[in-house]
Amino acid sequence: VVHPQYEVERDKGGRLQELLAAGKSTKSSLSESFMQLQVTAQSGKRLDEIRDRIEAVINDVRCAVEDWLAMRQRMSLIIDELVAPPKKVAKDECDEARQFLEWVHDAHFTFLGYREYDYPAKGAKSKSRGAGKGAGKGASIVVNAKAGLGVLRDSKAVVFHDLSDDSAMPQSARKIIEHGDLVMVTKSNAKSTVHRPVHMDSIGVKKYDKSGNIVGQRIFVGLFTSSAYNRSPRAIPLLRRKISKTLENAGFEPASHDGKALLNILETYPRDELFQVSEQGLLETAMGILNLQDRQRVALFARRDNFERFVSCQIYVPRDQYSMALRERMQEILAGAFDGEVMAHYAQLGDSPLARLHVIFKTTPGKIPRYDVARLEGQLIEAARSWSGRLNEALIKAHGEEAAHNLFGRYEKAFAAAFQDRFSATQALNDIAIIEATLETGELGMSLYRPVDAAPDEVGFKVYNVDQAIPLSDVLPMLEDMGLRVLDEVPHHVRPRMDARRAVMIHDFGLRTRDGSTVNLAAVRKKFHDAFARIWNLEVESDGFNALVLHAGLGW
């Protein structure tokens, strides 16, 4: 992009008359920024799409700028309208909503669009304001085409897929209208083409008739300014009310440890979530997060959008376990559970021992599968468990806590990543037992085993040697004489802690029987180990008769 500024002369119709030389200007000249965008080579059709999209963006910017003042004036009228609360709306709720709209009007919201929806009763024909009988059974939704401003001038522009012109009112919309608050803050379906490419914030204000029936909705779309995210939520109307009620319902003394911890959780709660979550939902989630302070673990808190357009998840993970790979695994698990895709993700890693991952999954309304948060949390816990963590659990289960503590201290960091990728922590228990014996005796260690997903004629054979690798040229002929073909060999270097000068080299051989016969591991393992050890120690000759150990079950 190249964007120089030039002094230009234009006629009354806006047509370019003259481009002035650099540094020159006149009383009637204008300083304008010219933009040239260069793109890689594209086909004619693609260039047409790019041109049309750029023109659409420019049109959105023009509409938003031209109607900006009108949108602010519309907000002012609604604020004046709420000086007296509508029937069936509590005065304190109305006052808080009005103060929030005043705060929004006071340069804390970038107005991009405005729309009015009417809810005429079944059979009503008028599209004028207040024409309907409310949002009862049989009600429909009508867009007031004359009231649209900014990017919503066009009545076909989408704000919410569930709220389309002349459509029967869906259950999700009716639920919000009948039971929701006077003012509702949420995210629109449409992404902003002005300022920054994110889903626009939507502020909905209900419209009432003289009897207190809900007959419509006024929707402002735009973007909260940075100050809305940077200042304390206790200084923002609506949010301060939610926080106050949450603290009150939690029942903690404000000066107590739990009271201060809960307040901090609410102060640092994801701001978009704080705007959208219900008071009950906020209390339950905040108390769940508070309980993590004493027992740090992986935890999941999920909130489904009222229109089922997305599921918002807050995932807490012990900070030392958090990684990009873990984030991707967790996102994959949850995306599958919600049959959705990642729309946005935000990670927060501060001084807290817990990292917070906030992920929003785009979903299809009416098609979100049933899910169990507790079960999903269990899957995330399993995904977050490190290999060394699983090793510690396996050692405790096999040896008890005291012995496991000592062994884990020796082997927590002894196995390299390549070994961990190849073998589970439970499988490593057998390796640890053989390594311990090998270090104690100095003799060759062995393990004939069946790899996961191996064919019946395939086996694995590990050879353990202290301090150094063994010559492969010595081993391969021995294995071939025992009726096996060597497919591959993977070396692993293991150095237990507190044995700084001693290490064990594991040679992991992939083998297949030469004649394709199946190996009965339980029947031949001990005989195979015994024969191989004697051959290695030159007590038995290495020749073709040694194949009888595997194929006939004979001893050495």
Side-chain angles (χ1 to χ4, degrees):
V1 180
V2 181
H3 47 88
Q5 287 191 351
Y6 291 108
E7 288 288 323
V8 301
E9 293 276 4
R10 293 185 181 273
D11 63 18
K12 293 181 179 179
R15 289 180 292 273
L16 183 66
Q17 299 297 306
E18 185 180 357
L19 189 73
L20 303 183
K24 290 189 177 182
S25 63
T26 66
K27 290 182 179 180
S28 58
S29 67
L30 301 169
S31 180
E32 297 184 359
S33 177
F34 285 74
M35 299 180 70
Q36 183 190 71
L37 291 81
Q38 299 178 2
V39 299
T40 52
Q42 305 283 339
S43 69
K45 182 180 179 182
R46 182 65 180 135
L47 287 173
D48 289 343
E49 291 173 355
I50 292 172
R51 180 203 61 216
D52 293 345
R53 195 76 188 93
I54 289 174
E55 287 180 351
V57 169
I58 291 173
N59 184 62
D60 283 348
V61 173
R62 180 183 294 113
C63 291
V65 170
E66 288 178 351
D67 291 349
W68 175 76
L69 185 59
M71 288 185 279
R72 286 179 54 80
Q73 289 172 342
R74 197 63 55 91
M75 176 64 83
S76 294
L77 290 174
I78 294 174
I79 291 170
D80 293 341
E81 177 187 308
L82 295 178
V83 170
K87 283 187 177 180
K88 303 179 184 178
V89 177
K91 186 177 186 307
D92 61 338
E93 180 188 347
C94 183
D95 289 345
E96 187 73 7
R98 180 169 50 79
Q99 289 174 37
F100 172 72
L101 297 180
E102 288 173 346
W103 175 84
V104 165
H105 187 269
D106 189 21
H108 292 115
F109 188 79
T110 302
F111 292 89
L112 298 180
Y114 173 79
R115 172 168 293 167
E116 291 185 8
Y117 294 98
D118 292 326
Y119 305 144
K122 193 174 182 181
K125 293 182 179 179
S126 174
K127 292 189 179 183
S128 64
R129 266 180 133 187
K133 299 291 184 183
K137 227 174 184 182
S140 61
I141 299 171
V142 175
V143 174
N144 187 333
K146 295 181 179 179
L149 295 171
V151 298
L152 299 182
R153 279 184 186 177
D154 183 352
S155 62
K156 292 183 174 58
V158 173
V159 182
F160 302 109
H161 291 307
D162 268 2
L163 298 179
S164 54
D165 196 16
D166 290 329
S167 63
M169 188 175 296
Q171 186 62 34
S172 58
R174 184 177 291 111
K175 185 176 179 182
I176 293 170
I177 293 161
E178 292 177 347
H179 303 291
D181 297 326
L182 171 59
V183 172
M184 181 183 71
V185 180
T186 186
K187 290 287 184 181
S188 75
N189 283 105
K191 277 192 173 182
S192 171
T193 55
V194 186
H195 289 298
R196 55 185 189 271
V198 296
H199 285 268
M200 289 186 289
D201 297 296
S202 165
I203 301 172
V205 186
K206 289 184 174 62
K207 183 166 57 177
Y208 298 84
D209 63 15
K210 293 180 180 179
S211 301
N213 299 312
I214 301 167
V215 294
Q217 186 98 335
R218 283 74 62 92
I219 301 285
F220 294 89
V221 295
L223 301 169
F224 283 109
T225 60
S226 58
S227 60
Y229 293 92
N230 296 332
R231 69 187 306 175
S232 168
R234 288 188 292 169
I236 300 174
L238 286 192
L239 299 191
R240 68 190 180 192
R241 180 187 174 96
K242 283 184 182 179
I243 289 175
S244 176
K245 291 238 178 178
T246 301
L247 292 171
E248 179 184 335
N249 292 332
F252 299 127
E253 288 293 330
S256 68
H257 174 79
D258 284 340
K260 291 178 180 178
L262 181 59
L263 178 58
N264 181 63
I265 289 168
L266 296 172
E267 286 269 10
T268 57
Y269 206 82
R271 190 55 53 89
D272 284 335
E273 279 295 290
L274 202 53
F275 274 118
Q276 299 173 51
V277 69
S278 66
E279 289 179 3
Q280 182 60 32
L282 179 60
L283 175 64
E284 292 173 1
T285 301
M287 290 300 292
I289 296 170
L290 179 65
N291 291 334
L292 296 178
Q293 312 303 310
D294 296 324
R295 183 168 173 258
Q296 285 134 29
R297 60 178 182 85
V298 174
L300 168 66
F301 303 95
R303 182 184 66 83
R304 181 155 62 177
D305 170 52
N306 288 318
F307 289 95
E308 297 191 353
R309 300 162 302 156
F310 61 84
V311 177
S312 175
C313 293
Q314 292 185 68
I315 308 163
Y316 284 81
V317 182
R319 190 175 56 189
D320 57 354
Q321 291 180 242
Y322 181 81
S323 67
M324 185 179 295
L326 176 59
R327 171 179 65 78
E328 291 173 349
R329 284 201 302 274
M330 288 182 162
Q331 288 179 176
E332 187 177 344
I333 290 169
L334 296 175
F338 305 137
D339 193 18
E341 60 184 55
V342 176
M343 191 163 71
H345 63 83
Y346 314 94
Q348 183 186 67
L349 288 85
D351 296 331
S352 169
L354 289 169
R356 182 182 71 197
L357 176 62
H358 182 203
V359 190
I360 301 170
F361 296 90
K362 182 181 179 181
T363 54
T364 303
K367 294 184 179 180
I368 302 176
R370 294 181 65 180
Y371 59 87
D372 183 342
V373 173
R375 186 181 63 81
L376 288 176
E377 185 177 83
Q379 290 180 280
L380 299 184
I381 290 171
E382 183 62 27
R385 287 169 66 203
S386 64
W387 192 90
S388 61
R390 292 188 178 96
L391 177 63
N392 190 34
E393 291 178 11
L395 287 168
I396 291 172
K397 189 174 181 180
H399 302 286
E401 287 194 359
E402 185 176 357
H405 178 74
N406 294 327
L407 285 170
F408 185 66
R410 284 169 57 74
Y411 289 96
E412 178 185 6
K413 299 179 181 179
F415 296 98
F419 183 94
Q420 296 176 18
D421 290 339
R422 196 174 175 92
F423 301 102
S424 71
T426 303
Q427 289 172 315
L429 293 182
N430 185 57
D431 294 285
I432 290 173
I434 297 172
I435 291 169
E436 288 288 291
T438 302
L439 287 170
E440 184 177 346
T441 64
E443 296 178 1
L444 208 66
M446 289 163 286
S447 176
L448 186 69
Y449 69 100
R450 178 93 62 196
V452 178
D453 298 328
D457 64 340
E458 292 181 357
V459 292
F461 182 53
K462 293 178 185 175
V463 179
Y464 306 74
N465 194 46
V466 178
D467 294 333
Q468 59 185 357
I470 59 176
L472 296 182
S473 58
D474 292 348
V475 180
L476 300 187
M478 293 167 55
L479 294 172
E480 289 176 349
D481 281 343
M482 296 184 81
L484 295 163
R485 294 179 60 198
V486 180
L487 304 178
D488 57 27
E489 183 271 340
V490 180
H492 300 286
H493 191 266
V494 183
R495 188 183 293 278
R497 189 181 174 194
M498 295 176 286
D499 273 312
R501 296 183 180 180
R502 307 193 73 195
V504 172
M505 193 73 184
I506 303 177
H507 295 272
D508 184 17
F509 294 96
L511 307 170
R512 176 177 290 154
T513 56
R514 296 187 70 84
D515 60 359
S517 60
T518 300
V519 177
N520 186 341
L521 281 177
V524 304
R525 182 184 284 112
K526 188 175 183 307
K527 294 176 180 178
F528 186 90
H529 288 178
D530 192 16
F532 187 89
R534 291 178 182 275
I535 299 167
W536 178 260
N537 292 323
L538 305 179
E539 297 174 31
V540 176
E541 189 175 351
S542 181
D543 57 31
F545 288 108
N546 295 331
L548 294 171
V549 174
L550 282 181
H551 300 322
L554 300 183
W556 65 271

